[in-house]
Amino acid sequence: QVQLVESGGGLVQAGGSLRLSCVVSGRSYTKYAAWFRQAPGKEREFVAVIDWSGDGAYYTDSVKGRFTISGDNAKSTVTLQMNSLKLEDTAVYHCAAAGSVWPKSRLYVASAYGYWGQGTQVTVSS
């Protein structure tokens, strides 16, 4: 049984930082952990993904250089450090996990992930 629990959302001013964490119970059944976000009236959007084996991390273009995803295998935790936050980063952020995914291009698609957290709200104010 794989369960994901996020924490760390909140309200921050533009230019500020937030750190999201996700504990992945049953992590050994998964290979990838990712963050997606969904703003009101918009579709769920890929943000970042990491391979638990440390074989790389990938980001959507709009967060490159500002967000960093990292994984701690010992703590079964994936973290998203968000810096230089912008108004357009406001959304509910969801942690997701998946086993093997092929082709790797599917890692950017929500349907590739079978396990999801409940989401945590991130609000960036001006």
Side-chain angles (χ1 to χ4, degrees):
Q1 184 79 8
V2 179
Q3 293 183 322
L4 292 77
V5 179
E6 303 106 331
S7 62
L11 174 65
V12 64
Q13 285 192 323
S17 299
L18 278 177
R19 186 180 181 90
L20 305 182
S21 293
C22 175
V23 178
V24 183
S25 302
R27 181 195 63 77
S28 61
Y29 294 100
T30 67
K31 180 172 173 62
Y32 299 100
W35 288 94
F36 284 75
R37 64 188 180 186
Q38 188 165 18
K42 295 188 176 182
E43 293 188 356
R44 192 164 293 190
E45 172 191 31
F46 167 80
V47 176
V49 61
I50 192 167
D51 184 326
W52 286 113
S53 68
D55 193 24
Y58 306 95
Y59 301 87
T60 191
D61 286 345
S62 62
V63 308
K64 284 180 181 177
R66 301 189 298 122
F67 291 11
T68 302
I69 188 171
S70 59
D72 185 329
N73 287 359
K75 296 181 179 180
S76 296
T77 299
V78 58
T79 299
L80 186 68
Q81 177 66 43
M82 305 185 294
N83 299 328
S84 302
L85 282 161
K86 303 177 180 180
L87 297 178
E88 53 263 41
D89 294 319
T90 295
V92 175
Y93 283 71
H94 294 270
C95 179
S100 296
V101 176
W102 189 260
K104 280 194 174 180
S105 58
R106 291 193 66 233
L107 288 172
Y108 306 117
V109 180
S111 61
Y113 296 83
Y115 308 102
W116 292 86
Q118 80 285 357
T120 185
Q121 178 69 46
V122 171
T123 302
V124 183
S125 64
S126 58

